[in-house]
């Protein structure tokens, strides 16, 4: 008799969604988003869904890794062997990369396995993982991007709008302009949200050296930011740690980091008071849980990056997790155009989904509209 959990097919495809407006970060511009979506089907006809971000171009590399590296390993195996399958995929992909596209592909498949198993159990993913939160989790509004013609006044109107919707924490981008312009943006944002709303600043790897970073951070300090995010390249862990010692603003990073070992170095060196580990980047839900446990042992908080549809479950099931990063519209995180169910936001919090698994299905018509390639 065939095991109901036996994996019978693994499929992936590349999706590219143009942004409605070209959007700027501190050091780059984005005109489109590439995503890899995967589905894992088992003998009982349960289907687990996984996904990851593949960058603003070249996302097909992630899809290729799913098809060429991992699909053959998973077929015929039990979807319940999540940890064992993780180990085998990681081991066999060592020569191709322990981070980047290959680890993102592994992450998407790991997410799909957890999703399949939660659906088969008839439980929402958060409860299948061992829920901490009951019904809601805190969220912050992520925005404040650089757009052509966007003045500090317009930025202020944007973040004030988030507060009017009930958000008690908001995040804006920093690091692209000169010192005076940057301070004007942060001042405008702080004045717009008031003193009782948390204001996060995201530099997106803006600075290459500590003196330059300190110049900007000193300008930000009077406005009491809750954190300064990704001040340096993710590889420059030492400067993250040095900056953390020289500023009153907590340093947050980890969104592009893969694997528990690099996260451990961040923790040991004091390079992050807040870890922004992304389960669709770091190695999936399995690796996220290991990283979160290590962080908990050192009193470090998890505030995962992106993909609120996924991370609402992980924040709800992780004792040392604090916030879900939430995007109010689909202008930047346009992945939400691909799913059939949107999260419910209530007074600064997200309602934890109660449907089995991750809580949504892919909108197949939307996939076809934006697909670069077919399912295979």
């Amino acid at each position: 008799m065939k095991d109901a959990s036996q994996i019978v097919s693994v499929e992936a495809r590349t999706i590219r969604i143009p942004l409605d407006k070209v959007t700027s970060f501190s050091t780059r511009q984005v005109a489109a988003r590439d995503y890899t979506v995967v589905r894992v089907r088992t003998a009982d006809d349960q289907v687990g869904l996984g996904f990851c971000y593949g960058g603003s171009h070249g996302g097909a590399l992630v899809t290729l890794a799913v098809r060429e590296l991992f699909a053959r390993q998973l077929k015929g195996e039990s979807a319940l062997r999540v940890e064992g399958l993780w180990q085998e995929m990681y081991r066999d992909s060592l020569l191709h990369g322990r981070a980047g596209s290959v680890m993102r592909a592994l992450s998407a498949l790991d997410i799909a396995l957890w999703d399949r198993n939660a659906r088969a159990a008839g439980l929402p993913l958060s409860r299948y993982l061992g829920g901490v939160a009951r019904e809601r989790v805190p969220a912050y509004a992520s925005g404040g991007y650089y757009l052509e013609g966007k003045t500090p006044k317009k930025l202020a109107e944007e973040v004030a709008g988030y507060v009017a919707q009930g958000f008690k924490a908001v995040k804006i981008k920093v690091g692209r302009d000169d010192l005076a312009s940057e301070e004007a943006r942060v001042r405008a944002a702080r004045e717009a949200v008031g003193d009782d709303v948390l204001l996060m600043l995201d530099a997106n790897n803006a600075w290459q050296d500590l003196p330059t970073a300190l110049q900007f951070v000193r300008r930000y300090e009077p406005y009491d930011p809750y954190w300064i995010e990704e001040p340096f390249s993710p590889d420059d862990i030492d400067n993250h740690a040095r900056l953390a010692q020289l500023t009153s603003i907590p340093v947050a990073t980890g969104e592009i980091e893969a694997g528990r070992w690099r996260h451990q170095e961040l923790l040991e060196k004091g390079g992050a008071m807040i870890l922004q580990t992304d389960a669709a980047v770091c190695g999936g839900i399995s690796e996220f849980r290991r990283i979160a446990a290590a962080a908990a042992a050192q009193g470090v908080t998890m505030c995962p990056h992106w993909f609120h549809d996924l991370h609402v479950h992980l924040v709800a099931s992780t004792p040392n997790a604090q916030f879900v990063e939430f995007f109010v519209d689909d202008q930047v995180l346009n992945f939400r155009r691909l799913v059939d169910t949107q999260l419910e936001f209530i007074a600064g919090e997200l309602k934890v989904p109660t449907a089995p698994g991750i809580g949504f299905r892919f909108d197949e018509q939307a996939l076809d509209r934006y697909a670069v390639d077919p399912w295979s």
Side-chain angles (χ1 to χ4, degrees), residues 123-159:
L123 292 172
L125 181 60
S126 63
R127 292 191 59 190
Y128 185 76
L129 293 170
V132 176
R134 294 183 182 274
E135 297 179 355
R136 303 179 189 178
V137 294
Y140 69 86
S142 192
Y145 288 82
Y146 293 92
L147 296 172
E148 186 175 352
K150 188 173 182 178
T151 63
K153 181 180 178 181
K154 291 181 179 179
L155 173 65
E157 292 171 352
E158 176 190 346
V159 295

Side-chain angles (χ1 to χ4, degrees), residues 58 117 247 363:
N117 293 338
T247 178
D363 180 334

Side-chain angles (χ1 to χ4, degrees), residues 14 69 231-232 317 322 344:
T14 311
L69 284 175
F232 304 102
S317 59
Q322 182 181 16
E344 186 177 352

Side-chain angles (χ1 to χ4, degrees), residues 39-262:
R39 58 188 185 193
V40 174
R41 187 181 301 274
T42 49
D44 58 0
D45 212 32
Q46 290 284 353
V47 177
L49 305 180
F51 47 88
C52 67
Y53 177 49
S56 55
H57 51 271
L61 292 171
V62 183
T63 306
L64 183 66
V66 173
R67 293 169 176 166
E68 298 296 325
L69 284 175
F70 298 132
R72 64 176 180 80
Q73 292 179 277
L74 297 183
K75 290 178 184 176
E77 297 287 345
S78 169
L80 298 175
R81 287 190 60 241
V82 182
E83 296 285 354
L85 295 175
W86 194 99
Q87 288 289 98
E88 291 161 15
M89 287 190 287
Y90 179 79
R91 181 190 62 213
D92 287 356
S93 66
L94 288 177
L95 295 181
H96 298 280
R98 299 182 296 281
S101 296
V102 172
M103 188 60 93
R104 289 175 188 240
L106 191 159
S107 300
L109 289 167
D110 183 81
I111 292 165
L113 292 172
W114 281 102
D115 179 49
R116 179 268 166 202
N117 293 338
R119 290 181 194 269
L123 292 172
L125 181 60
S126 63
R127 292 191 59 190
Y128 185 76
L129 293 170
V132 176
R134 294 183 182 274
E135 297 179 355
R136 303 179 189 178
V137 294
Y140 69 86
S142 192
Y145 288 82
Y146 293 92
L147 296 172
E148 186 175 352
K150 188 173 182 178
T151 63
K153 181 180 178 181
K154 291 181 179 179
L155 173 65
E157 292 171 352
E158 176 190 346
V159 295
Y162 297 145
V163 175
Q165 293 177 57
F167 286 98
K168 300 175 179 64
V170 301
K171 186 170 81 176
I172 67 170
K173 299 297 182 181
V174 296
R176 185 176 183 83
D177 295 334
D178 58 39
L179 287 167
S181 299
E182 286 288 302
E183 183 175 359
R185 294 180 81 254
V186 176
R187 182 194 305 114
R190 172 53 77 195
E191 290 175 352
V193 302
D195 294 336
D196 296 330
V197 171
L198 301 181
L199 177 63
M200 294 90 154
L201 308 180
D202 186 359
N204 289 112
N205 325 115
W207 306 301
Q208 297 183 23
D209 60 87
L210 186 60
T212 302
L214 274 172
Q215 278 191 303
F216 283 90
V217 168
R218 296 294 190 222
R219 293 288 190 106
Y220 303 150
E221 285 176 343
Y223 306 101
D224 192 27
Y226 190 62
W227 72 51
I228 180 68
E229 178 175 337
E230 283 201 307
F232 304 102
S233 161
D235 294 321
D236 196 354
I237 293 176
D238 287 340
N239 263 337
H240 279 87
R242 294 185 188 109
L243 181 63
Q245 294 175 350
L246 294 171
T247 178
S248 60
I249 307 173
V251 173
T253 192
E255 68 180 59
I256 313 178
E257 208 56 86
R260 74 201 80 150
W261 301 278
R262 287 276 294 181

